[in-house]
Amino acid sequence: YIAFSIVLVGIIPYDEIDSAAPAEDAFGKHYANIPWALMLVNWGAVIGLFTTLITGLYSQARIYLAMARDGLFFQAFGRVSPTFGTPIHAQWLCGAIAALLACVPVDKLALFLSIGVLLSYTVVCAGVLVLRAESPEQAAKWSGLVTLAAVAASLCSSYILSSKNYLAIAATAVFALLAMLCWVPFFQVPYSRPSTFACPGCPTIPLFGLTINGYLLSQCHWQAWLRLVLTSFLILGAYALRVRKSLKTPGSRNQRDLHLSLAVQPDTVSS
């Protein structure tokens, strides 16, 4: 993605790129005028989108499967097909949701889904720091501060571009410095390294992820933030009801699975 973006802005000025079809605009008649390259890029985009969507449908169905087995979702979606060995009910649900979302205009759908993906990536970066730090509570708090400082600095930067106010410039410098200062405690905490799959360069790479994602989150439209907040409250409320229902049945399989799913074993994490 980075290499393609470099090639793209080398062909066409960044402020003239057509956001709806950037590659077609760059390799079209107005700029590079390379028909065979345009055809390859368009076919590559179609194939890339298709494989990404198929992967998303598969992974989302398995998320519903795990939630159902933990008692946080309807039990019907925790069943696996004896013929295919796949969570067929969850797969049908994902297909139905995707079909409904296909009726929504692409620009509005992109606003909503982009902020959700950015938030999930931010949580993943923070999760790496929390799970591998010896003091996870402190790591969680500082991860939130890094993200908030990056969002605040980016908002001030956007205000600078529109108004060129010296007060906004000073505020941007303060918040940017605050974001960098929030990095310091992370380098004073020892981290464990899993013997199997591990993120390299901890804590530097997760901190870069938190800072960059904070910047990108601040660029999202306010309507996307509103939808994200409402959806988050809806999901958390549904989780709270399911957890309460599972815990009310002493000794049930849902309760045992829920405790096993939510428990964090320090020895397991450190290994």
Side-chain angles (χ1 to χ4, degrees), residues 173-197:
V174 170
F175 282 114
L177 180 61
L178 178 61
M180 299 304 297
L181 289 177
C182 291
W183 284 33
V184 176
F186 286 100
F187 292 96
Q188 300 175 350
V189 177
Y191 296 90
S192 60
R193 181 178 178 85
S195 58
T196 53
F197 179 80

Side-chain angles (χ1 to χ4, degrees), residues 16-218:
E16 298 180 10
I17 295 177
D18 184 4
S19 59
E24 184 173 358
D25 192 20
F27 292 99
K29 296 180 180 179
H30 297 290
Y31 290 95
N33 194 18
I34 310 176
W36 62 268
L38 177 60
M39 182 183 66
L40 287 178
V41 169
N42 286 335
W43 274 106
V46 171
I47 295 173
L49 288 174
F50 181 78
T51 55
T52 302
L53 292 174
I54 291 294
T55 304
L57 289 175
Y58 273 108
S59 60
Q60 188 66 33
R62 279 144 184 81
I63 291 174
Y64 293 150
L65 172 69
M67 290 168 57
R69 290 183 172 178
D70 285 342
L72 299 175
F73 202 47
F74 300 105
Q75 294 299 315
F77 298 105
R79 300 170 187 169
V80 177
S81 170
T83 304
F84 303 103
T86 58
I88 188 169
H89 293 158
Q91 203 70 64
W92 277 109
L93 176 63
C94 291
I97 293 175
L100 291 175
L101 292 178
C103 302
V104 181
V106 177
D107 54 347
K108 296 183 179 179
L109 190 61
L111 284 176
F112 180 68
L113 296 180
S114 296
I115 193 171
V117 173
L118 284 172
L119 181 63
S120 65
Y121 287 166
T122 304
V123 172
V124 169
C125 292
V128 172
L129 297 170
V130 171
L131 291 176
R132 293 177 60 175
E134 287 191 357
S135 53
E137 296 85 1
Q138 183 180 2
K141 294 177 182 178
W142 282 104
S143 297
L145 287 176
V146 171
T147 306
L148 291 176
V151 170
S154 176
L155 290 175
C156 291
S157 299
S158 302
Y159 180 67
I160 290 173
L161 294 177
S162 59
S163 64
K164 296 181 180 180
N165 191 314
Y166 290 105
L167 182 60
I169 296 176
T172 301
V174 170
F175 282 114
L177 180 61
L178 178 61
M180 299 304 297
L181 289 177
C182 291
W183 284 33
V184 176
F186 286 100
F187 292 96
Q188 300 175 350
V189 177
Y191 296 90
S192 60
R193 181 178 178 85
S195 58
T196 53
F197 179 80
C199 172
C202 186
T204 305
I205 292 180
L207 287 173
F208 267 116
L210 288 175
T211 307
I212 295 173
N213 287 336
Y215 167 77
L216 295 175
L217 283 169
S218 69

